[in-house]
Amino acid sequence: GAVVSQHPSWVICKSGTSVKIECRSLDFQATTMFWYRQFPKQSLMLMATSNEGSKATYEQGVEKDKFLINHASLTLSTLTVTSAHPEDSSFYICSARDLSGRGGEQFFGPGTRLTVL
Amino acid sequence: DAKTTQPTSMDCAEGRAANLPCNHSTISGNEYVYWYRQIHSQGPQYIIHGLKNNETNEMASLIITEDRKSSTLILPHATLRDTAVYYCIVLRNDMRFGAGTRLTVKP
């Protein structure tokens, strides 16, 4: 089946630093990738949608200058959390859409747990 | 968004069938119903999806009502490892998650 990987699986950083999270579709091409954030005991919240070769579309309330998204190839999207603060600590999950599948289903990565000290 | 409504939580005895309902009364004719589950601290796992007809795979069965306003996910023989949060999603341009149903399978 379609596999999406994320790296790193967890990261701890100091407040004020930037952190980059990678999302890769391993066995299919994904023209669209999605980034979600999940706080403890809450559901996944869509942050942004990225299309290969174009600027990401951010959901209302998500700061595009703080959460930089690059989707440079059909198999890789990156999320950079700039000047991270403790309130950015969360579980970040990406997904990729396989257009060859029925209904345009999305496949999800295993998530990256970010802890900002 | 096509909003979905699911029970907050359900319990099921190990080995019995787990039936998880979902209401999606505002679904449009060409929108698929997807089911995912999330085990603690992992990414969502795809279970099954359907449009109009009932669907079955190795994990579960999906029963969609004729008017498509509701569906039921059936895990035929629940195991302890099926304990998770189950999300019913109506797919439009992207997948937006509601609160889901926390299923607890008990010995």
Side-chain angles (χ1 to χ4, degrees):
Chain A
V3 179
V4 175
S5 70
Q6 284 184 238
H7 178 80
S9 56
W10 59 271
V11 57
I12 300 172
C13 70
K14 293 182 178 180
S15 185
T17 61
S18 295
V19 174
K20 179 184 285 188
I21 302 170
E22 293 186 349
C23 175
R24 294 181 184 271
S25 55
L26 298 186
D27 50 4
F28 66 98
Q29 292 186 329
T31 56
T32 305
M33 288 185 170
F34 305 85
W35 287 95
Y36 295 80
R37 179 169 55 183
Q38 185 176 33
F39 293 108
K41 298 188 185 300
Q42 295 185 22
S43 187
L44 287 78
M45 295 295 294
L46 180 65
M47 298 176 67
T49 302
S50 73
N51 291 295
E52 185 263 339
S54 63
K55 291 184 178 181
T57 301
Y58 291 81
E59 294 297 304
Q60 189 173 7
V62 178
E63 300 175 58
K64 63 180 181 180
D65 294 331
K66 181 170 184 62
F67 299 99
L68 302 180
I69 293 172
N70 183 283
H71 191 167
S73 78
L74 289 173
T75 60
L76 173 65
S77 176
T78 61
L79 169 68
T80 301
V81 183
T82 62
S83 186
H85 291 286
E87 58 265 30
D88 298 323
S89 297
S90 189
F91 192 48
Y92 291 87
I93 304 168
C94 74
S95 72
R97 173 176 287 159
D98 179 3
L99 291 179
S100 66
R102 290 184 305 160
E105 61 194 279
Q106 294 175 213
F107 297 93
F108 287 82
T112 297
R113 185 161 302 282
L114 169 64
T115 301
V116 184
L117 301 177
Chain B
D1 293 340
K3 182 177 174 59
T4 61
T5 304
Q6 299 178 251
T8 302
S9 64
M10 293 181 64
D11 290 344
C12 176
E14 187 179 20
R16 304 297 293 269
N19 298 287
L20 292 87
C22 179
N23 286 322
H24 33 77
S25 59
T26 60
I27 193 171
S28 296
N30 60 348
E31 292 174 337
Y32 284 80
V33 178
Y34 278 78
W35 283 82
Y36 284 79
R37 72 181 182 184
Q38 186 179 28
I39 297 170
H40 183 61
S41 294
Q42 297 182 24
Q45 177 190 19
Y46 167 80
I47 301 173
I48 199 167
H49 74 282
L51 182 62
K52 295 181 180 179
N53 300 320
N54 298 337
E55 302 285 347
T56 296
N57 62 21
E58 64 277 6
M59 289 184 67
S61 294
L62 175 61
I63 308 298
I64 302 174
T65 58
E66 192 170 342
D67 63 7
R68 302 210 327 121
K69 292 185 177 181
S70 65
S71 61
T72 301
L73 177 75
I74 301 173
L75 308 179
H77 304 287
T79 70
L80 299 179
R81 288 179 295 180
D82 291 322
T83 292
V85 178
Y86 287 76
Y87 296 100
C88 166
I89 300 168
V90 172
L91 176 63
R92 286 189 170 173
N93 296 320
D94 48 49
M95 289 193 174
R96 295 174 187 262
F97 289 75
T101 296
R102 181 173 298 279
L103 175 68
T104 303
V105 181
K106 298 185 174 181

